[in-house]
Amino acid sequence: MATTTSSTATSRTFLLERQPVTTLGKVIGGISIFLALGALSGASAIGMPGGIALATMSVVDCMLAAIIFAGLRWAPIVGAVVGAGGLVYMFFGTPYPIYHLTHLNDPLFAPIVIVVALAALVFAAMVAAVAQNYGAQDRHMPRWFGFVATGLTGMALGAILIGVSAQPATVSATTGSDGATVVHLGLSTFGTTAITVPLGGKLDFVDDANIPHQLTYGTWTNGRTQTATPANAPALDNRTIASGSFEIGPFTTAGTYSILCVLHPGMQLTVTVP
C-alpha cells in the first residue's frame, strides 16, 4: 500500500511540477501560436474536409503553447515528440509542402519555407528545453541551440532569395505521343489558362502535383461554379484525377469550351477549337 501511494504521489508530482518559464520557453510558445494562426488561416483558405489536418495542427500548436506557458516541466518532452511528428507529416504525410518547395515560382514557396524552418526551430528548441529542464540546475541554454537557430535562419533566407530571383516558369502547349494536346495541372491551377486544340484533336490532362482535381465544363464566377456542357463536347462530367493523366476528345465541333476544377476556386481553362 505504501509503495502504491508513493508511486501515485510521484506521478502527480511529475505531472503537476512547474517552474518559471524561461526565455527559451517564451520563444517556443510564441512560435507555436504563430504556427497555429498560420495553420488556421490555411484551413480557412482550403476549406473542409481538405483543411481538417491544418485545423488539427492549429489546435495542437495552441495546446503546446498553453502547457509551455503554464511552466509544466514535462511540456518540452511532449513538444519534441509532437514536433518531430509534425515534420514527418509535412514531408511524408501530405504532398502539398513538397510541391510548393519544388516550385520556386509558386506564391506559397516562401511561406512554406518559413513554416518548415519555424517547425524545425521549435523542435530544436523543445529538445534544448528538455536539456534545460532536466539538466544543469542553472538552466543555461545549450550552446548548440544558437548554432542550430542561426543555421536554420540562414537556410530559410537563402531559399527565399533563390525563390525570389528565380525566373518565372513558362508553360507552353505540348503534344503527346498520340497527338493529343497536353495540359498540365498544378496544385490549384492549370499550366496555362488558354489553349488551342485543332479540330478533331484531343486533350491530355496530366496531374503534375498529384493533387486531386475534379474537372467539368463551366466557369468560375464570383467564387461560384457555373457548369454547362456545350453541345457536341467530349464527355467530361466531373472527371476526377489525383495522379497520372487522362484524355478527352476528339473535339469534333469548332468553338470555345470552358473547363474548370470544381475543387479549386478560380481554376479555369479556355479551350479554342478553330
Side-chain angles (χ1 to χ4, degrees):
M1 178 67 71
T3 301
T4 302
T5 302
S6 177
S7 299
T8 302
T10 301
S11 299
R12 288 178 178 176
T13 300
F14 175 79
L15 292 174
L16 301 178
E17 184 179 4
R18 298 187 180 188
Q19 51 193 11
V21 181
T22 63
T23 300
L24 183 59
K26 294 176 181 177
V27 170
I28 294 172
I31 295 177
S32 296
I33 292 175
F34 178 82
L35 291 175
L37 293 175
L40 186 60
S41 299
S44 300
I46 295 175
M48 300 301 169
I52 291 178
L54 287 174
T56 302
M57 290 174 62
S58 179
V59 172
V60 170
D61 284 332
C62 286
M63 292 176 64
L64 284 177
I67 62 176
I68 288 293
F69 283 128
L72 296 172
R73 190 175 188 184
W74 48 266
I77 300 176
V78 176
V81 174
V82 173
L87 288 171
V88 171
Y89 175 78
M90 280 194 289
F91 286 102
F92 300 102
T94 175
Y96 292 96
I98 294 296
Y99 178 85
H100 291 303
L101 292 174
T102 53
H103 291 72
L104 300 182
N105 300 108
D106 191 287
L108 291 180
F109 173 80
I112 292 297
V113 167
I114 293 173
V115 168
V116 171
L118 287 176
L121 181 61
V122 167
F123 171 71
M126 290 288 189
V127 175
V130 172
Q132 195 177 62
N133 287 356
Y134 291 93
Q137 294 299 318
D138 54 14
R139 305 185 70 195
H140 284 167
M141 186 179 297
R143 292 183 178 181
W144 58 264
F145 178 72
F147 295 105
V148 171
T150 301
L152 287 172
T153 302
M155 287 189 291
L157 291 176
I160 292 173
L161 289 175
I162 292 173
V164 170
S165 62
Q167 295 296 320
T170 57
V171 179
S172 57
T174 58
T175 303
S177 58
D178 61 350
T181 302
V182 178
V183 176
H184 295 273
L185 282 65
L187 180 68
S188 59
T189 59
F190 289 101
T192 181
T193 57
I195 199 167
T196 300
V197 177
L199 189 66
K202 298 180 180 181
L203 273 182
D204 183 13
F205 293 99
V206 179
D207 192 347
D208 295 327
N210 295 323
I211 299 297
H213 296 284
Q214 187 174 328
L215 306 183
T216 191
Y217 291 104
T219 59
W220 279 98
T221 304
N222 297 324
R224 295 186 176 183
T225 60
Q226 294 185 343
T227 59
T229 301
N232 301 319
L236 182 66
D237 292 333
N238 292 313
R239 179 68 179 268
T240 300
I241 179 174
S243 63
S245 64
F246 74 87
E247 286 188 356
I248 64 170
F251 287 85
T252 57
T253 303
T256 301
Y257 303 82
S258 295
I259 297 175
L260 60 81
C261 173
V262 300
L263 302 180
H264 299 103
M267 184 172 176
Q268 184 173 315
L269 171 69
T270 300
V271 181
T272 301
V273 181

